[in-house]
Amino acid sequence: MLIVQKYGGTSVGTLDRIEAVANRVIQSVKEGNKVVVVVSAMSGVTNTLIEQAQYFSKNPNAKDMDMLLSSGERVSSALLSIALNEKGYLAVSFSGRKAGIVTDSMFTKARIHYIDTKAIKTELQKGKIVVIAGFQGVDEQGDVTTLGRGGSDLSAVALAGALDADLCEIYTDVDGVYTTDPRIEPKAKKLDKISYEEMLELASLGAKVLQNRSVELAKKLNVNLVTRSSFNNNEGTMITKEDGMEQALVSGIALDKNQARVTLRNVEDRPGIAAEIFAVLASENINVDMIIQNVGVDGATNLGFTVPQNELDLAKNAMQKILNSKTTIESDNAVVKVSIVGVGMKSHSGVAAKAFKALADEGINIGMISTSEIKISMIVHEKYGELAVRALHECYGLDK
Amino acid sequence: MLIVQKYGGTSVGTLDRIEAVANRVIQSVKEGNKVVVVVSAMSGVTNTLIEQAQYFSKNPNAKDMDMLLSSGERVSSALLSIALNEKGYLAVSFSGRKAGIVTDSMFTKARIHYIDTKAIKTELQKGKIVVIAGFQGVDEQGDVTTLGRGGSDLSAVALAGALDADLCEIYTDVDGVYTTDPRIEPKAKKLDKISYEEMLELASLGAKVLQNRSVELAKKLNVNLVTRSSFNNNEGTMITKEDGMEQALVSGIALDKNQARVTLRNVEDRPGIAAEIFAVLASENINVDMIIQNVGVDGATNLGFTVPQNELDLAKNAMQKILNSKTTIESDNAVVKVSIVGVGMKSHSGVAAKAFKALADEGINIGMISTSEIKISMIVHEKYGELAVRALHECYGLDK
């Protein structure tokens, strides 16, 4: 098999951790695989570089930042290659450029245009392990770019797609994707498989395993992703196409504590009013999540939505500017969002009703509800957050 | 003027030192110059990277080492560019590759083949300060290379040559080139000017200001070099062509404490014997410095030479293998080499005689003498090293 393995910052956080990564790579080679490795910077390095830049400037220019930030992954890729060579396995370290990763010129948040895999394939054919600095590429002008948050995962997925790899393994410090946060519900179970769509919902709901951008790309390129821990030998979670899987009704429960609820009362009920409101929020770069609007009465309506807690004041100030005097703004920071995710719910009715009953049985009031094909999200008082997660986890039998 | 400024590791050793460098660059721009800056890694960074590599391997492969080591200069160039931009001066950071520095593929000790200055010139024409990561280039295959010890100086000199710069300023933590080591002779004076040839002799005699490789390249490319301190505003020392300068008889006195003297007595006096001896020393990579051979008597001769002290045992063992039983090997670690350097001595007789008298007046016995066109070196007992330097410094009036 051709496998792309990606190791995150904690997995290469110390020299002896890099040594352990080398042994893991070698294990995979011994099993007969060709291996391409993508590494992040050693944990802490990128933050130190950012702090150094901020000594000089609150807003350092993006092109210099990419020259700066790209250095961390170069170091870890070189060190891993040195370790592999020392252990008698031919390896070579590649920068993003040498790996053929060409991006646009949006420095610090570049998007991959294409990957010219020629150099990688040449080294693989020589029997070498190719160790690639993640998180970086070059633009058409030959300037170094970085891919933004989660960029190393993205490098790995894009490379797996371009190389038509059999598998893309993302190594982190957690075992995989769980039915819910094990710190909240100790009965949470690791999922063996999950669909791209479910993973996307879970990631956007706060599961820290993978960034949405990487899952989206994996879905687009049909890359079989496995997320697993580099600190043990447990099997991870396979993230792959939906069909062919045994369909669980519900795959997981997520809790997002970073939401604030906003309710606008007596909003003028005319076409375009919602667009105006959300346009002003967008212009302030506020991430609006759930949006609820009921049918209006007497030319006025109520509008509810959620924003990240630290953007609440900004959101309220922005809306003051455009709302008329009749409209009142209410907000509540003391809320959390609990979500149920599952491909299975597409074809099953009653999933939502079951959730509402489970919460009602615990005396939990639901403030807002929003649903998609494979997700139901509910806003509840923050004091009930963990209880709601456990109740839902049990009612769908996820601990079985 | 177009000026290439190079700042060494201590000059960019901390964030506030980088800030000071930014101000110095800006000062030069304000004076109407176009400035290209070459920076080393922040002091200590390269050693840390080497230690990290050695955690994995006593002999890490050179290609990975260059990927690793080249990261340090990228960081300092990015930080300096960020600092300049923040102060309102347009700047851009360049890797060695982006600067167009193309080398051979001798990783960790690459030689510059040529420099394509197009990208640098484009930025200069836009009025930008170009900040270049020193010590690095790329080979024809696009792999990162580093230039070995003193590599950032070399980058600066080569760039100054390729750009036809008016001046190449090398900033370090010393004020320039002195008539002798001021720690030995407090009356030592900083030289305003010195020829390439004299600088080459002084550098090979242990003056730490510049590596010979850089001075040789400056001479070849006709680059006007100035070495000065980044910690004050003192004028430095200009290293330039010999002609047109007022010729001092002697420019400087150097002391080398790392020499050991070897004398071979009763060496068979036949053609080729010296070649055999020095071939075996060369095969052990022993750096032989002074070599003295007298005319032989009765088919035997005496041969004297010096080697670095830590290579003395190696040299003796090597010679045991090839010398016949009649030859005896004597050696002496307790010696130093004192040297007089000056272009002026080419056209003046009596320089040597003056030196011998000055040492005799102090009761210093001379063990070996070797001369070149612009240099006289003498081996004396180590206890007289500093006294000899002061006596010679005075007898040529260098403190005037």
Side-chain angles (χ1 to χ4, degrees), chain A residues 15-16 19 55-57 61 64 67 71 74-75 78 81 83 85-86 93-95 97-98 141 143-144, chain B residues 15-16 19 55-57 61 64 67 71 74-75 78 81 83 85-86 93-95 97-98 141 143-144:
Chain A
L15 297 179
D16 61 308
E19 184 114 46
Y55 175 91
F56 298 109
S57 171
N61 79 80
D64 288 329
M67 170 73 96
S71 65
R74 296 167 73 97
V75 168
S81 179
N85 278 297
E86 178 69 13
S93 56
F94 272 16
S95 65
R97 173 197 312 272
K98 184 79 184 179
Q141 284 71 50
D143 288 311
V144 178
Chain B
L15 298 179
D16 61 310
E19 183 115 45
Y55 175 91
F56 297 109
S57 171
N61 79 79
D64 288 329
M67 170 73 97
S71 66
R74 295 167 73 98
V75 168
S81 179
N85 278 298
E86 178 70 13
S93 55
F94 271 16
S95 65
R97 173 198 311 272
K98 184 80 184 180
Q141 284 71 49
D143 289 310
V144 178

Side-chain angles (χ1 to χ4, degrees), chain B residues 46-325:
Chain B
T46 303
N47 283 343
T48 300
L49 292 172
I50 291 172
E51 283 163 20
Q52 289 181 333
Q54 286 177 342
Y55 175 91
F56 297 109
S57 171
K58 287 265 174 287
N59 187 25
N61 79 79
K63 195 168 172 178
D64 288 329
M65 278 308 281
D66 280 358
M67 170 73 97
L68 183 70
L69 295 179
S70 61
S71 66
E73 284 74 15
R74 295 167 73 98
V75 168
S76 44
S77 66
L79 291 176
L80 178 57
S81 179
I82 288 168
L84 288 166
N85 278 298
E86 178 70 13
K87 290 169 185 287
Y89 288 79
L90 287 178
V92 61
S93 55
F94 271 16
S95 65
R97 173 198 311 272
K98 184 80 184 180
I101 300 175
V102 178
T103 72
D104 62 20
S105 298
M106 292 294 289
F107 296 103
T108 73
K109 49 189 176 199
R111 294 188 160 266
I112 297 175
H113 274 180
Y114 63 90
I115 302 183
D116 176 357
T117 57
K118 203 169 59 193
I120 298 174
K121 284 179 176 162
T122 301
E123 299 294 345
L124 287 175
Q125 274 158 16
K126 290 182 196 161
K128 288 194 186 177
I129 301 161
V130 185
V131 185
I132 298 170
F135 179 60
Q136 59 183 267
V138 282
D139 68 7
E140 299 280 359
Q141 284 71 49
D143 289 310
V144 178
T145 56
T146 65
L147 306 176
R149 270 201 71 182
S152 290
D153 287 354
L154 207 72
S155 302
V157 171
L159 283 163
L163 290 164
D164 203 16
D166 300 282
L167 207 58
C168 180
E169 297 179 333
I170 308 284
Y171 285 90
T172 68
D173 49 4
V174 295
D175 278 1
V177 183
Y178 279 76
T179 50
T180 194
D181 186 339
R183 286 167 304 184
I184 295 172
E185 172 51 275
K187 292 180 197 157
K189 287 231 163 355
K190 192 181 66 211
L191 295 161
D192 293 332
K193 276 192 179 182
I194 186 171
S195 71
Y196 297 123
E197 291 77 8
E198 289 169 310
M199 190 65 230
L200 286 170
E201 292 286 6
L202 286 173
S204 68
L205 293 170
K208 302 246 164 42
V209 185
L210 279 171
Q211 296 257 310
N212 261 1
R213 229 174 130 196
S214 301
V215 182
E216 275 163 14
L217 189 65
K219 183 183 171 196
K220 186 174 166 194
L221 300 176
N222 249 320
V223 169
N224 290 319
L225 267 184
V226 170
T227 168
R228 57 189 296 190
S229 169
S230 68
F231 292 81
N232 59 46
N233 285 311
N234 299 345
E235 296 289 329
T237 300
M238 167 85 84
I239 301 151
T240 183
K241 270 188 302 210
E242 184 188 321
D243 53 41
M245 279 197 271
E246 196 179 332
Q247 309 243 317
L249 197 63
V250 166
S251 293
I253 312 294
L255 178 63
D256 181 352
K257 297 182 170 182
N258 186 31
Q259 296 289 318
R261 184 179 59 80
V262 180
T263 308
L264 307 180
R265 295 199 187 277
N266 275 319
V267 178
E268 193 186 355
D269 193 8
R270 59 168 171 80
I273 180 70
E276 280 171 36
I277 289 168
F278 293 109
V280 74
L281 293 173
S283 73
E284 300 279 353
N285 280 316
I286 295 166
N287 287 301
V288 176
D289 184 13
M290 296 167 72
I291 301 175
I292 312 285
Q293 186 181 3
N294 282 331
V295 176
V297 180
D298 294 335
T301 187
N302 297 337
L303 191 64
F305 57 90
T306 63
V307 295
Q309 291 186 351
N310 59 357
E311 295 174 7
L312 177 58
D313 290 341
L314 193 62
K316 290 202 287 191
N317 291 337
M319 285 180 299
Q320 298 284 14
K321 297 179 201 157
I322 58 157
L323 294 175
N324 67 31
S325 57

